Short mmCIF file of all heavy atoms in Angstrom, two decimals:
data_model
loop_
_atom_site.label_atom_id
_atom_site.label_comp_id
_atom_site.label_asym_id
_atom_site.label_seq_id
_atom_site.Cartn_x
_atom_site.Cartn_y
_atom_site.Cartn_z
N LEU A 12 -1.92 -11.89 -3.07
CA LEU A 12 -0.46 -12.10 -3.10
C LEU A 12 -0.07 -12.77 -4.41
O LEU A 12 0.95 -12.35 -5.01
CB LEU A 12 -0.05 -13.03 -1.94
CG LEU A 12 1.41 -13.41 -1.86
CD1 LEU A 12 2.31 -12.16 -1.75
CD2 LEU A 12 1.68 -14.33 -0.69
N ARG A 17 2.46 -12.22 -9.92
CA ARG A 17 2.32 -12.28 -11.39
C ARG A 17 2.37 -10.90 -12.03
O ARG A 17 2.15 -10.75 -13.20
CB ARG A 17 0.95 -12.92 -11.71
CG ARG A 17 0.96 -14.43 -11.42
CD ARG A 17 -0.45 -15.05 -11.55
NE ARG A 17 -0.35 -16.51 -11.47
CZ ARG A 17 -1.44 -17.32 -11.36
NH1 ARG A 17 -2.65 -16.77 -11.27
NH2 ARG A 17 -1.29 -18.60 -11.26
N LEU A 21 -0.62 -4.28 -5.84
CA LEU A 21 -1.48 -4.73 -4.79
C LEU A 21 -2.66 -3.79 -4.54
O LEU A 21 -3.77 -4.19 -4.23
CB LEU A 21 -0.68 -4.88 -3.47
CG LEU A 21 -1.42 -5.44 -2.26
CD1 LEU A 21 -2.15 -6.73 -2.60
CD2 LEU A 21 -0.47 -5.62 -1.10
N PRO A 33 -18.93 -6.68 -2.81
CA PRO A 33 -19.53 -5.51 -2.03
C PRO A 33 -20.08 -5.89 -0.66
O PRO A 33 -20.26 -5.03 0.15
CB PRO A 33 -20.60 -4.99 -2.97
CG PRO A 33 -20.96 -6.19 -3.84
CD PRO A 33 -19.67 -6.95 -4.05
N ASP A 45 -4.46 -6.31 5.48
CA ASP A 45 -3.37 -6.55 6.39
C ASP A 45 -2.62 -7.81 6.02
O ASP A 45 -1.37 -7.80 6.00
CB ASP A 45 -3.89 -6.66 7.81
CG ASP A 45 -2.80 -7.05 8.81
OD1 ASP A 45 -1.94 -6.17 9.07
OD2 ASP A 45 -2.77 -8.19 9.30
N LEU A 46 -3.32 -8.86 5.71
CA LEU A 46 -2.65 -10.13 5.37
C LEU A 46 -1.87 -10.01 4.04
O LEU A 46 -0.73 -10.49 3.93
CB LEU A 46 -3.67 -11.25 5.25
CG LEU A 46 -4.36 -11.70 6.53
CD1 LEU A 46 -5.18 -12.90 6.27
CD2 LEU A 46 -3.38 -11.93 7.62
N HIS A 86 2.96 -16.12 12.49
CA HIS A 86 4.14 -15.50 13.12
C HIS A 86 4.01 -14.06 13.49
O HIS A 86 4.55 -13.58 14.47
CB HIS A 86 5.37 -15.73 12.20
CG HIS A 86 6.68 -15.32 12.89
ND1 HIS A 86 7.20 -16.05 13.92
CD2 HIS A 86 7.52 -14.27 12.67
CE1 HIS A 86 8.34 -15.45 14.31
NE2 HIS A 86 8.53 -14.40 13.58
N LYS A 108 -8.90 -26.64 -4.27
CA LYS A 108 -7.71 -27.47 -4.08
C LYS A 108 -7.88 -28.41 -2.91
O LYS A 108 -7.08 -28.48 -2.00
CB LYS A 108 -6.49 -26.60 -3.84
CG LYS A 108 -6.27 -25.43 -4.81
CD LYS A 108 -5.89 -25.92 -6.18
CE LYS A 108 -5.67 -24.74 -7.14
NZ LYS A 108 -5.27 -25.18 -8.48
N ARG A 120 1.39 -27.06 10.93
CA ARG A 120 1.61 -27.64 12.24
C ARG A 120 3.11 -27.88 12.47
O ARG A 120 3.65 -27.68 13.57
CB ARG A 120 0.81 -28.92 12.42
CG ARG A 120 -0.68 -28.65 12.46
CD ARG A 120 -1.53 -29.86 12.85
NE ARG A 120 -2.90 -29.56 12.84
CZ ARG A 120 -3.57 -28.92 13.75
NH1 ARG A 120 -2.91 -28.49 14.90
NH2 ARG A 120 -4.86 -28.69 13.66
N SER A 142 14.30 -9.56 3.51
CA SER A 142 13.05 -9.68 2.82
C SER A 142 12.96 -8.70 1.63
O SER A 142 11.91 -8.02 1.47
CB SER A 142 11.84 -9.59 3.74
OG SER A 142 10.74 -10.27 3.23
N ALA A 215 -13.39 5.00 10.47
CA ALA A 215 -13.57 5.27 11.92
C ALA A 215 -13.16 6.66 12.30
O ALA A 215 -13.34 7.07 13.46
CB ALA A 215 -12.80 4.24 12.76
N PRO A 236 1.72 23.20 -1.03
CA PRO A 236 2.16 24.52 -0.54
C PRO A 236 3.34 25.06 -1.32
O PRO A 236 3.47 26.32 -1.47
CB PRO A 236 2.51 24.28 0.93
CG PRO A 236 1.72 23.07 1.31
CD PRO A 236 1.67 22.22 0.10
N ASP A 279 -11.07 7.69 -11.94
CA ASP A 279 -12.30 7.42 -11.07
C ASP A 279 -11.94 7.56 -9.61
O ASP A 279 -12.78 8.03 -8.80
CB ASP A 279 -12.75 5.99 -11.34
CG ASP A 279 -13.43 5.89 -12.73
OD1 ASP A 279 -13.79 6.93 -13.29
OD2 ASP A 279 -13.51 4.73 -13.26
N ALA A 296 -8.71 12.12 -19.30
CA ALA A 296 -7.84 11.00 -19.56
C ALA A 296 -7.05 11.29 -20.83
O ALA A 296 -7.59 11.35 -21.92
CB ALA A 296 -8.70 9.75 -19.74
N PRO A 310 -1.65 28.97 -21.44
CA PRO A 310 -0.57 28.60 -20.48
C PRO A 310 -1.14 28.32 -19.09
O PRO A 310 -2.17 28.85 -18.67
CB PRO A 310 0.35 29.81 -20.49
CG PRO A 310 0.03 30.55 -21.73
CD PRO A 310 -1.43 30.30 -21.99
N LEU A 344 12.66 3.93 -16.91
CA LEU A 344 11.94 5.15 -16.45
C LEU A 344 12.68 6.40 -16.83
O LEU A 344 12.11 7.40 -17.28
CB LEU A 344 11.81 5.10 -14.93
CG LEU A 344 10.70 4.18 -14.39
CD1 LEU A 344 10.80 4.04 -12.85
CD2 LEU A 344 9.33 4.70 -14.75
#
Side-chain angles (χ1 to χ4, degrees):
L12 175 61
R17 289 173 172 168
L21 184 53
D45 175 71
L46 294 187
H86 189 69
K108 311 289 180 179
R120 293 189 181 280
S142 206
D279 288 340
L344 283 169

